[in-house]
Amino acid sequence: MLHFYNTLTRQQEHFTPGEIIRFYTCGPTVYDYAHIGNFRAYVFEDLLQRHLEARGNTVNRVMNLTDVDDKTIRGARREGMLLQEYTARYKKAFFEDCDALRLRPATSYPAATDPENIAAMIAMIQTLVEKGHAYQAEDHSVYFRIASFPRYGQLAHVDLDAQRSSKRIKNDEYTKEEIADFALWKAWNQEDDAASWESPWGPGRPGWHIECSAMATRLLGDTIDIHCGGVDNMFPHHEAEIAQCECVSGRTFARLWMHCAHLMVDGMKMAKSAGNFYTVRDLMKRSWSGREIRYVLLSVHYRMPLNFTMEGLEAARHSLYRIDEWIRRLEEFIQHAADSAPIIKKETCFTTLEDFFIALDDDLNISAALAVLFDVIRESHRLLDQEILSHNEAMALLDWWHRVDSILAITPDSHPKEIPKNVQQLVSLRYKARAAKNWIESDRLRDAIKAHGWIIKDTKNEQKLLPQESNS
Ligand code: AMP
Ligand code: ZN
């Protein structure tokens, strides 16, 4: 039974998955390299997705790319580049870093400036204006009228009265009815250069909050199952997403809200603005591998602040070394064990294997899950030392490890990966196609296998299957 802490209700709740879990994760603003604080959020979301999948669910995850905002526009101007060229560079870097950290790709990565997304944003704003939830101000921008949505503030438990001003504010910056009203459509100004789209309210660009609302509902429907992000996204960003979506559809926007705590450095949030950040590539240049960084980021419960230190990376390296050694020893034992090795019934040892998954069912309790893993490692070394581990038992342990690693994704790169069932099926279809000299079909299947991350090498009599090199 899955239980997760819901930020909206401030309670741990039972989560009942539907046929497909509709999962939305706020993605990066592609104006620079993402830092590992950002990646803490993405690694947490990856752990969640992988665990849901390991529990037999199908997950449809959408992660947006914010490729137009003040920072991207400013960056493109500074470099004298077109906005698309500038953001393309950081999109590419983002996906490289995701690969290095072994993040399972989302089903789709909609970008804010995709024409179909801009159209969806404009349509949503139009509905909001028609329903009286939005208005165009004297500065030509369109704002959401938070006074029209009494539930505004429910997610973050923010006291709106403290935010509100009763009279209309007029100064250089605000032509809004209330100071907390947020922009849905920002009227074009000179600094925006070519970052401008036509709209019923004149040329301009969307606000950040409407981007997520439009892309989430366009791709996942009015009500989604899980919405995640870092805790700093909760207010005002997620609060605004709820207001926009629920005012348009009249339905609950997200059933479950999950937020991860910050990655900290010396007691402060890791942030670009604080200058206390590391990117994935900074650390890789210093010879830390992607899986070591991944391990640091996932090994502390997502709702606990995680203090980032070099000692933490050292400790991760050490933990991974213990895991690698254990796998190596089990494999070696399996290769050399005589069948006459004493048989110990599976039930008699390792009764705790399922506890790894049960711990994750409990709001992704990674500390308890890793404790199970290291107990199993310790115990199996003891049995190997005493030469009383059976061949079967060792194989069962390796099978279990493959299930565990489908969630943790920390196997060393040189380690042979377990071949997934669907890939095995494709390989045997290809074998038949080749036997029938159907080369077109054989090539098609080779591509399909490649799309699953496996490469086929043909020798005279057989097909050899190798995992595609991943960055480590
Ligand atoms: P941004 O590009 O600033 O919108 O951030 C992208 C994601 O990273 C959001 O989900 C943020 O909440 C998250 N994030 C930013 N800084 C940190 C941090 N130091 N620790 C954890 N998550 C963070
Ligand atoms: Zn968002």
Side-chain angles (χ1 to χ4, degrees):
M1 281 242 276
L2 295 162
H3 285 91
F4 297 117
Y5 182 85
N6 191 347
T7 311
L8 191 64
T9 57
R10 301 287 193 275
Q11 273 176 19
Q12 193 134 320
E13 290 174 359
H14 176 51
F15 178 73
T16 325
E19 208 178 318
I20 292 180
I21 298 175
R22 291 154 302 177
F23 182 17
Y24 188 83
T25 48
C26 289
T29 304
V30 281
Y31 73 104
D32 201 346
Y33 300 106
H35 58 69
I36 57 167
N38 303 127
F39 277 105
R40 179 178 196 199
Y42 309 141
V43 167
F44 140 64
E45 290 153 1
D46 183 66
L47 183 70
L48 176 58
Q49 174 171 0
R50 285 171 177 273
H51 181 57
L52 292 169
E53 288 175 346
R55 283 308 202 189
N57 299 292
T58 305
V59 178
N60 181 6
R61 182 161 67 87
V62 172
M63 175 178 270
N64 69 298
L65 303 170
T66 298
D67 59 354
V68 57
D69 79 326
D70 293 348
K71 287 180 281 193
T72 44
I73 293 172
R74 212 181 300 131
R77 266 178 91 93
R78 192 184 56 232
E79 307 268 317
M81 290 168 92
L82 289 174
L83 182 66
Q84 297 93 301
E85 280 170 12
Y86 180 76
T87 56
R89 179 201 287 170
Y90 294 109
K91 282 182 197 174
K92 181 169 172 285
F94 173 69
F95 289 121
E96 284 166 3
D97 291 349
C98 287
D99 280 350
L101 296 188
R102 302 169 174 206
L103 301 183
R104 178 122 48 251
T107 317
S108 55
Y109 293 97
T113 62
D114 292 342
E116 61 275 26
N117 292 328
I118 295 279
M121 292 167 209
I122 290 176
M124 268 191 108
I125 301 171
Q126 263 175 317
T127 308
L128 289 171
V129 172
E130 280 159 25
K131 288 188 164 187
H133 293 294
Y135 60 92
Q136 186 168 26
E138 287 156 26
D139 63 357
H140 301 293
S141 294
V142 180
Y143 294 96
F144 185 89
R145 177 179 284 129
I146 58 165
S148 74
F149 186 63
R151 291 201 301 280
Y152 192 83
Q154 62 179 355
L155 179 71
H157 292 204
V158 167
D159 176 5
L160 259 196
D161 289 337
Q163 300 255 329
R164 271 190 187 144
S165 76
S166 52
K167 42 183 190 336
R168 193 179 165 91
I169 292 173
K170 280 195 182 164
N171 62 26
D172 287 350
E173 213 176 327
Y174 298 108
T175 60
K176 303 187 271 183
E177 290 176 3
E178 282 194 21
I179 195 162
D181 288 356
F182 56 86
L184 297 165
W185 188 258
K186 297 183 173 182
W188 182 83
N189 73 43
Q190 248 178 348
E191 283 171 10
D192 290 347
D193 288 338
S196 172
W197 289 264
E198 280 309 320
S199 82
W201 314 281
R205 59 183 165 100
W208 173 38
H209 311 316
I210 198 73
E211 294 179 4
C212 278
S213 286
M215 292 190 267
T217 50
R218 187 175 82 75
L219 292 160
L220 297 172
D222 287 342
T223 299
I224 64 175
D225 299 300
I226 310 178
H227 196 312
C228 287
V231 70
D232 58 339
N233 279 166
M234 199 194 300
F235 191 88
H237 182 53
H238 290 164
E239 202 72 59
E241 281 190 44
I242 295 177
Q244 296 162 149
C245 291
E246 300 195 355
C247 286
V248 167
S249 74
R251 302 205 177 96
T252 300
F253 172 43
R255 294 203 289 140
L256 172 62
W257 286 90
M258 293 174 74
H259 292 96
C260 76
H262 282 143
L263 184 68
M264 315 289 288
V265 184
D266 296 330
M268 269 175 69
K269 176 190 167 189
M270 181 177 285
K272 280 270 153 61
S273 52
N276 60 354
F277 64 92
Y278 291 96
T279 63
V280 172
R281 45 205 71 216
D282 287 338
L283 294 174
M284 289 178 80
K285 267 189 219 133
R286 295 186 181 197
S287 87
W288 298 103
S289 67
R291 73 182 186 120
E292 286 164 344
I293 304 167
R294 175 180 173 87
Y295 190 87
V296 167
L297 296 179
L298 67 66
S299 59
V300 170
H301 188 259
Y302 75 93
R303 286 196 288 120
M304 303 269 287
L306 161 55
N307 198 37
F308 177 76
T309 58
M310 289 298 156
E311 290 76 40
L313 274 170
E314 292 283 358
R317 180 167 283 181
H318 180 70
S319 301
L320 290 170
Y321 176 77
R322 280 176 64 199
I323 295 170
D324 296 353
E325 271 306 292
W326 172 65
I327 299 167
R328 192 195 53 73
R329 195 172 177 198
L330 279 179
E331 282 175 345
E332 226 171 73
F333 171 73
I334 289 168
Q335 266 172 20
H336 298 116
D339 283 343
S340 58
I343 304 283
I344 295 179
K345 275 198 184 150
K346 260 187 207 165
E347 311 88 75
T348 55
C349 4
F350 304 112
T351 50
T352 58
L353 298 186
E354 281 314 302
D355 292 352
F356 177 88
F357 305 96
I358 293 167
L360 293 179
D361 288 346
D362 176 21
D363 198 32
L364 296 182
N365 189 344
I366 189 71
S367 325
L370 290 176
V372 173
L373 171 63
F374 285 105
D375 280 348
V376 168
I377 292 179
R378 205 172 308 115
E379 181 62 7
S380 42
H381 278 308
R382 191 180 67 77
L383 296 177
L384 284 163
D385 290 345
Q386 295 178 5
E387 299 185 355
I388 52 171
L389 189 80
S390 76
H391 190 250
N392 280 344
E393 189 74 24
M395 299 229 284
L397 282 177
L398 267 190
D399 276 354
W400 175 73
W401 165 250
H402 289 308
R403 282 174 59 212
V404 166
D405 197 49
S406 73
I407 300 173
L408 298 181
I410 50 172
T411 304
D413 284 328
S414 55
H415 183 75
K417 283 205 279 182
E418 191 191 27
I419 305 167
K421 278 221 168 56
N422 54 350
V423 174
Q424 278 170 15
Q425 275 162 1
L426 292 171
V427 172
S428 69
L429 284 176
R430 188 166 180 272
Y431 185 79
K432 284 183 197 144
R434 287 174 68 79
K437 300 204 184 329
N438 184 346
W439 308 121
I440 293 175
E441 176 67 353
S442 152
D443 285 351
R444 189 191 68 77
L445 287 162
R446 173 203 295 268
D447 292 345
I449 291 164
K450 190 160 180 223
H452 285 88
W454 293 80
I455 305 270
I456 283 243
K457 293 240 157 76
D458 292 314
T459 60
K460 207 165 165 219
N461 299 316
E462 59 167 19
Q463 314 178 82
K464 200 165 176 205
L465 196 61
L466 299 168
Q468 240 170 355
E469 280 299 303
S470 62
N471 306 337
S472 175

